[in-house]
Amino acid sequence: MLQMILMQRKGISFCACITQMYFFMLFSVVELYLLSAMAYDRYAAICNPLSYTVIMNKTVCLVLAVGCWLLGSVVPLSHTILLSQSTFCGTREINHFFCDPSALMMISCSGTARMELFTYTIGTIFAFSPFLLTLMSYVFIITTILRIRSTTGKRKAFTTCSSHLMVVVLFYSSVLGIYVRPTSNYSMDENKMASIVYVNAVPLLNPLIYGLRNKEVKKALWNAYGKQNSCLHCKTARLNPRLSFIQNSAKG
């Protein structure tokens, strides 16, 4: 997308398009499983706080991370192979800003019924399962939070999972809105608008959403804000020294 904007090149070779589609699906599936693993981490922290260090030890974290990447790299292979063997006749113009699987199926003339059935089957098994795991984790988390009597405890527990929950809502609302419906009912304009959310907006907001929970990041932002106000005051003083003199005299 950056190449298209900066170099004004809208063309892409077939091999590059298939490769782009594979990595798009790879990163999407990996994010699904990582969000599910993070939901389990929040579940362990809130529902079993005393056993958290035992449940989420380094070995478990490593296995979860490696498992997410292995599944993410294997699951899209079959779909990518099927689409790469399709025949594309007539128009070669993809009505999208990247090689989205649904946009490629739109211009395929090989017959997409088998591919759609395969996509929904794989999606149900490998993509919908992390959604259910994430949903179940938050059902237990919310139930546990509601049982906490103190307001401070509830606020602290909710703060623990608020940033992750925000990312989950943004990501799943856009993804499910696009892919959980028949291809015949697609509106490619709506598809492209929703794709911007999880392809561009969510990765852009991730550092901000997760970073605001970090004390060092908040301190750095506060310092930057303070310096900006200080510089603004200095500029005002230079532009109007009489006003600065009056203000300093008033303070004295």
Side-chain angles (χ1 to χ4, degrees):
M1 187 177 64
L2 289 174
Q3 183 187 25
M4 288 193 310
I5 293 172
L6 296 175
M7 304 182 71
Q8 295 297 313
R9 292 180 181 175
K10 295 185 179 181
I12 186 171
S13 67
F14 180 73
C15 291
C17 184
I18 293 297
T19 304
Q20 185 189 67
M21 183 190 69
Y22 169 75
F23 279 102
F24 159 71
M25 291 192 291
L26 183 151
F27 294 131
S28 298
V29 174
V30 168
E31 185 161 5
L32 286 173
Y33 281 99
L34 283 176
L35 287 174
S36 181
M38 292 170 71
Y40 176 73
D41 175 73
R42 269 64 175 178
Y43 160 77
I46 294 173
C47 299
N48 299 286
L50 299 178
S51 306
Y52 175 75
T53 54
V54 178
I55 297 172
M56 294 300 296
N57 54 58
K58 290 183 179 181
T59 304
V60 173
C61 292
L62 181 63
V63 169
L64 287 173
V66 172
C68 290
W69 281 99
L70 283 176
L71 283 170
S73 60
V74 171
V75 170
L77 274 177
S78 52
H79 192 77
T80 305
I81 292 170
L82 278 175
L83 265 175
S84 65
Q85 294 175 346
S86 299
T87 304
F88 297 93
C89 50
T91 181
R92 296 292 180 93
E93 184 176 347
I94 302 170
N95 187 16
H96 218 294
F97 61 88
F98 72 101
C99 291
D100 183 77
S102 58
L104 286 175
M105 283 193 287
M106 285 281 188
I107 63 173
S108 173
C109 55
S110 299
T112 59
R114 184 167 61 96
M115 198 178 303
E116 285 183 37
L117 179 61
F118 181 79
T119 301
Y120 283 118
T121 304
I122 294 295
T124 302
I125 296 172
F126 292 102
F128 198 64
S129 54
F131 170 72
L132 289 178
L133 290 172
T134 304
L135 186 63
M136 287 173 59
S137 297
Y138 272 103
V139 168
F140 287 113
I141 288 170
I142 293 171
T143 304
T144 303
I145 291 176
L146 292 176
R147 290 175 183 172
I148 299 174
R149 294 183 180 181
S150 65
T151 306
T152 307
K154 287 183 178 180
R155 188 183 298 112
K156 186 177 180 180
F158 180 73
T159 304
T160 303
C161 57
S162 58
S163 56
H164 177 258
L165 183 60
M166 196 180 303
V167 174
V168 167
V169 171
L170 282 172
F171 185 79
Y172 274 108
S173 59
S174 56
V175 170
L176 293 177
I178 292 175
Y179 296 106
V180 186
R181 53 177 175 166
T183 309
S184 57
N185 293 337
Y186 273 175
S187 169
M188 291 309 299
D189 292 332
E190 294 177 3
N191 193 342
K192 285 186 286 187
M193 291 300 296
S195 297
I196 291 174
V197 176
Y198 69 87
V199 173
N200 296 326
V202 174
L204 182 67
L205 292 173
N206 272 344
L208 179 64
I209 293 172
Y210 289 117
L212 288 177
R213 294 191 65 247
N214 189 301
K215 292 181 180 180
E216 294 180 358
V217 173
K218 286 192 280 190
K219 184 179 179 181
L221 288 173
W222 183 254
N223 290 339
Y225 176 75
K227 288 179 181 178
Q228 186 178 1
N229 283 346
S230 177
C231 291
L232 183 62
H233 177 73
C234 293
K235 289 179 182 178
T236 306
R238 285 197 299 269
L239 291 172
N240 197 343
R242 180 177 174 79
L243 177 61
S244 177
F245 174 75
I246 294 172
Q247 288 175 341
N248 290 333
S249 300
K251 288 180 181 179

